[in-house]
Amino acid sequence: MFNQRTKIKTLLDGEANNQEVTVMGWVRTFRNNQFIALNDGSTNTNLQVVAELGSFDDEFLKRVTTSAALKVRGILVPSLGKGQKMELKATAIEILGDSDPEKYPLQPKKHSLEFLREIAHLRFRTNTFGSVFRVRHALAYAIHKFYNERGFLYIHTPIITGSDAEGAGEMFRVSTLPFDNPPRNEDGSINYKEDFFGRNTNLTVSGQLEGELAATAFGEIYTFGPTFRAENSNTSRHLAEFWMIEPEMAFYDIEDNMNLAESFIKYLIAYVMEHNREDLEFLAQRQADEEKQLPQDKRSDMGLIEKLEFVLKNDFERITYTEAIDILLQSPAYKKKKFQYDVSWGIDMQSEHERYLVEKHFKKPVIVRNYPKHIKAFYMRQNDDGKTVAAMDILAPGIGEIVGGSQREERMDKLVERMKEMHIPTDELWWYLDTRRFGTVPHSGFGLGFERMVQFVTGMGNIRDVIPFPRTPKTAEF
RNA sequence: UCCUCAGUAGCUCAGUUGGUUAGAGCAUCUGACUGUUAAUCAGAGGGUCACUGGUUCAAGUCCAGUCUGAGGAGCCA
C-alpha cells in the first residue's frame, strides 16, 4: 500500500507529539536550504519540513524546487522557529515528481487573477484558488445536505434536450451530422431526421420543465447540474457552462417559495461559516487587500465575513415590483437624473436600478416579486390583477440576480392561452402540459446560480475565478 | 454584440515631444551565508516591444486593421 500519509490539516489541528508521520505534498518554497514549506491542498497553511544541514546530499536538495512533489517521513516536533507551532524534522525525503524551476510559472509572490486564468491547470496550487475550491466543494455538499434533510429528491434532468422552447437563451446544438454537407430536405432546410436522435437537439438551458414533472409525483425535488447558454456574454458574472440548482415543489405558493429560497441561501452561508472558517478568513484578507487599490467609494462597506454574518442575521427585504419602481421614482438618484435608463412601471429593471435597490437603498439582499407578465416567462402564474405574474427574483449585493423563480401556472386554460400569446409551441410541450391535465396542483420553484453563490460567499469579483475551467466566448482551454 | 481601456523579459510594470545598444523589482541560474517565514547578500543570463500592413531618414512610441485580455452595458443564473 502506497498511501499511508497523514493530511497536513490533520497534523496542524493536533499537537506536536514527537511521533513519526509521513506526509505527501507539493513544495511551496524552500528557504535557507533547510526549510521546506509543504502544501497538500488540505489547508492553506503549509507544513514546515526541516531538512537539517548536513543530513541530506546537496545535489539531492537542489531537486527540492517549487512545486516538486515530495514524500516526507519525519518526527513531528514543536517548532524551534517562530512562525509555526510545529514542524516536521525529516528523516527521509523522497522526490515523487521533479518540477523544473526554469519552466514552472508560479512564484512565491502575488500573481494577477488574469494571469492565473491562463494557467488554470496550475492555479489550484495557489492559496486563493485553494480556498475558493474548498469553499465551492463545501457549498456543493451543503446543497445536498439541505435538501436531503428536508425530504427533497435529487433528480437528474437531461443534459441533451429535444425541446428548444425553454426560452432561457441561445442554445448549443448537439448533432452528429457533417456540418460541411448535412442532409437536406427538398426545401433546402437541414433534415434532422437523419441526425443521431432523429430530431434537432440542444444542450439544456434549464432542467425546470423536467423538474416540474418529477415534482408532481414526488412533491419536492431539486436538480443540481450543468447548464449551457450560447449567449455572447462577456461579463464577470456570465459563463457559457455553469451549474444551477433548481428546486421544484408541489403544494408551494410564491410565499412558500420565497421562504425556501431565503432559508436555503442562509443555510449555505452558515455551513461554510462553520466548516471553512480559515478559508473565509484568507479570502476576506485577499478581498481587503485588493480593495486597498480602489478609491474609497468603490470599496465594500463591510468585510467579507461581516457581510456574510449580516446576511445570516437579517431578513431579506421583500417588496413587490410595483414598490420597487416607486422607490426608484422617489430616489435622489432618479431625481438627479443619475440613471442612464428611464424608470416607469413596466420596464425590465436595468442593472443600475437593481444595484441601487440592493446596494444603496436597502443594503441587503432583496426579493422582488410580482413582475409585469410581459417581461417574464410563459410558465409563471398569472396574478388576479391581469398585469403581473407570481415571479420572484433575489438580488444580492455585488452580484445582482442570484435567484430567479416563480409560482408556476397550474391552470391549463391560462397556461395554454399564455403560450399562444408568446408563440410557444404547445404541441412540442405536450408532456409538460400533461401535468396540468392529470392532477394539476399549485407548485413553485426557482433556480440558484451556483457560481454566483460561490462568488457571493468567497468575494471573488469574476465568475471565471470560481469555476475550475471556465467556458466563455472564445475560451474553452483545458 | 456594443462602449471604454490595455497588450514591452517567466511575472508585475517604467519607457519623455518619434532619435544611439529597450530598463527596474521579483523569479531563474552561479557563488556566499545558514533557524528561515514571499530568507538575505553579490554576480550572471533572459526581449519577434501581441500580430499584419502603412507613414517616416528613423517606430516600443504615430496611423489602419486583426487577435487577446480587463471593466461596463445588453442577455441572464
Side-chain angles (χ1 to χ4, degrees):
Chain A
M1 193 168 69
F2 175 72
N3 190 348
Q4 296 176 310
R5 71 184 174 121
T6 308
K7 290 205 177 188
I8 288 172
K9 185 175 195 321
T10 311
L11 293 179
L12 295 175
D13 285 347
E15 294 298 320
N17 52 11
N18 296 300
Q19 298 292 301
E20 187 180 76
V21 292
T22 300
V23 295
M24 301 183 200
W26 294 266
V27 176
R28 281 289 173 82
T29 62
F30 186 21
R31 285 185 295 269
N32 224 342
N33 221 22
Q34 195 178 171
F35 303 101
I36 304 167
L38 197 72
N39 188 282
D40 69 358
S42 59
T43 167
N44 272 348
T45 313
N46 300 320
L47 178 68
Q48 171 149 295
V49 172
V50 183
E52 286 192 315
L53 289 171
S55 309
F56 296 90
D57 183 58
D58 274 359
E59 284 307 303
F60 174 79
L61 289 179
K62 276 187 184 164
R63 292 172 58 201
V64 179
T65 55
T66 306
S67 248
L70 303 187
K71 174 179 180 180
V72 182
R73 201 167 67 238
I75 312 291
L76 197 65
V77 296
S79 181
L80 298 176
K82 278 187 181 145
Q84 57 282 316
K85 69 171 179 175
M86 65 181 76
E87 61 193 20
L88 189 67
K89 210 165 113 184
T91 49
I93 301 176
E94 185 185 333
I95 293 177
L96 299 175
D98 288 284
S99 173
D100 184 345
E102 301 223 36
K103 296 191 176 124
Y104 185 68
L106 286 172
Q107 306 152 25
K109 66 167 241 184
K110 232 186 177 75
H111 286 292
S112 68
L113 294 171
E114 290 84 1
F115 170 67
L116 292 171
R117 240 168 259 155
E118 293 170 14
I119 50 165
H121 58 309
L122 295 173
R123 67 179 178 171
F124 290 127
R125 299 186 189 190
T126 64
N127 285 335
T128 297
F129 288 92
S131 286
V132 165
F133 289 112
R134 278 188 297 272
V135 168
R136 183 180 166 111
H137 159 80
L139 285 169
Y141 176 74
I143 285 161
H144 290 299
K145 193 163 182 283
F146 175 84
Y147 287 115
N148 190 56
E149 284 168 3
R150 283 159 185 75
F152 283 58
L153 239 65
Y154 178 30
I155 294 289
H156 297 101
T157 50
I159 289 168
I160 298 172
T161 172
S163 112
D164 56 3
E166 287 158 13
E170 289 296 309
M171 302 178 97
F172 288 102
R173 177 160 293 154
V174 175
S175 175
T176 55
L177 293 176
F179 60 80
D180 50 344
N181 185 25
R184 293 187 184 275
N185 298 312
E186 281 178 18
D187 63 2
S189 61
I190 290 169
N191 182 5
Y192 288 107
K193 291 212 174 77
E194 297 280 313
D195 205 346
F196 187 90
F197 294 106
R199 62 190 298 169
N200 183 14
T201 49
N202 298 287
L203 292 179
T204 183
V205 292
S206 163
Q208 182 201 316
L209 300 190
E210 288 92 347
E212 287 188 47
L213 310 182
T216 50
F218 298 112
E220 294 159 316
I221 66 97
Y222 70 106
T223 74
F224 183 9
T227 306
F228 307 88
R229 306 257 168 105
E231 304 285 350
N232 193 4
S233 297
N234 286 292
T235 78
S236 55
R237 54 188 190 285
H238 287 89
L239 291 166
E241 177 183 284
F242 64 99
W243 290 66
M244 186 155 64
I245 300 100
E246 294 179 288
E248 198 66 39
M249 301 76 64
F251 321 116
Y252 273 53
D253 66 11
I254 189 76
E255 204 76 30
D256 301 317
N257 200 20
M258 292 190 291
N259 292 342
L260 181 76
E262 181 168 344
S263 58
F264 178 41
I265 289 172
K266 287 180 170 172
Y267 182 95
L268 297 183
I269 292 172
Y271 184 88
V272 171
M273 296 272 273
E274 189 186 338
H275 294 90
N276 294 72
R277 196 70 197 187
E278 212 182 303
D279 289 319
L280 289 180
E281 278 166 9
F282 178 85
L283 291 164
Q285 189 59 49
R286 192 207 69 84
Q287 189 188 49
D289 289 346
E290 187 140 290
E291 290 193 353
K292 276 181 195 158
Q293 297 162 11
L294 297 175
Q296 203 88 42
D297 61 320
K298 291 265 171 100
R299 295 181 201 172
S300 316
D301 295 340
M302 285 182 246
L304 180 63
I305 291 177
E306 265 181 296
K307 176 187 85 176
L308 296 175
E309 273 166 359
F310 179 84
V311 170
L312 269 187
K313 274 194 227 131
N314 292 280
D315 289 341
F316 292 5
E317 195 66 39
R318 298 187 185 195
I319 57 171
T320 63
Y321 169 88
T322 304
E323 286 163 351
I325 294 294
D326 284 344
I327 289 167
L328 291 172
L329 289 173
Q330 299 299 318
S331 69
Y334 179 78
K335 287 175 180 162
K336 288 181 194 156
K337 300 197 192 307
K338 287 270 177 66
F339 293 133
Q340 197 185 335
Y341 294 88
D342 200 13
V343 179
S344 65
W345 199 96
I347 60 157
D348 201 354
M349 278 188 279
Q350 305 291 319
S351 286
E352 58 176 354
H353 304 140
E354 295 182 347
R355 276 209 137 98
Y356 179 85
L357 287 173
V358 173
E359 289 163 21
K360 293 267 158 48
H361 191 82
F362 290 115
K363 299 188 183 217
K364 60 171 164 172
V366 178
I367 312 182
V368 183
R369 67 176 186 283
N370 294 343
Y371 283 84
K373 65 177 181 181
H374 67 270
I375 58 171
K376 288 292 182 180
F378 73 90
Y379 49 74
M380 296 188 177
R381 193 178 195 280
Q382 295 170 58
N383 290 328
D384 293 340
D385 61 13
K387 299 188 298 188
T388 61
V389 289
M392 64 105 176
D393 285 355
I394 301 185
L395 310 175
I399 309 281
E401 187 177 343
I402 194 164
V403 161
S406 68
Q407 183 170 342
R408 316 308 189 191
E409 182 56 82
E410 85 281 9
R411 296 161 298 186
M412 185 66 160
D413 53 335
K414 295 267 188 191
L415 179 59
V416 170
E417 179 193 315
R418 194 75 190 117
M419 287 173 82
K420 285 184 174 152
E421 280 171 17
M422 297 176 79
H423 307 291
I424 309 288
T426 49
D427 52 339
E428 262 188 51
L429 291 179
W430 62 273
W431 44 270
Y432 181 71
L433 292 172
D434 264 6
T435 55
R436 275 64 170 177
R437 283 190 185 99
F438 309 120
T440 192
V441 68
H443 65 288
S444 298
F446 62 84
L448 173 83
F450 184 51
E451 282 76 17
R452 289 189 184 173
M453 187 67 202
V454 181
Q455 271 190 281
F456 185 73
V457 173
T458 60
M460 299 298 286
N462 194 312
I463 200 165
R464 293 160 200 153
D465 297 327
V466 298
I467 189 168
F469 303 105
R471 270 76 181 102
T472 53
K474 300 280 182 288
T475 309
E477 190 66 74
F478 308 109

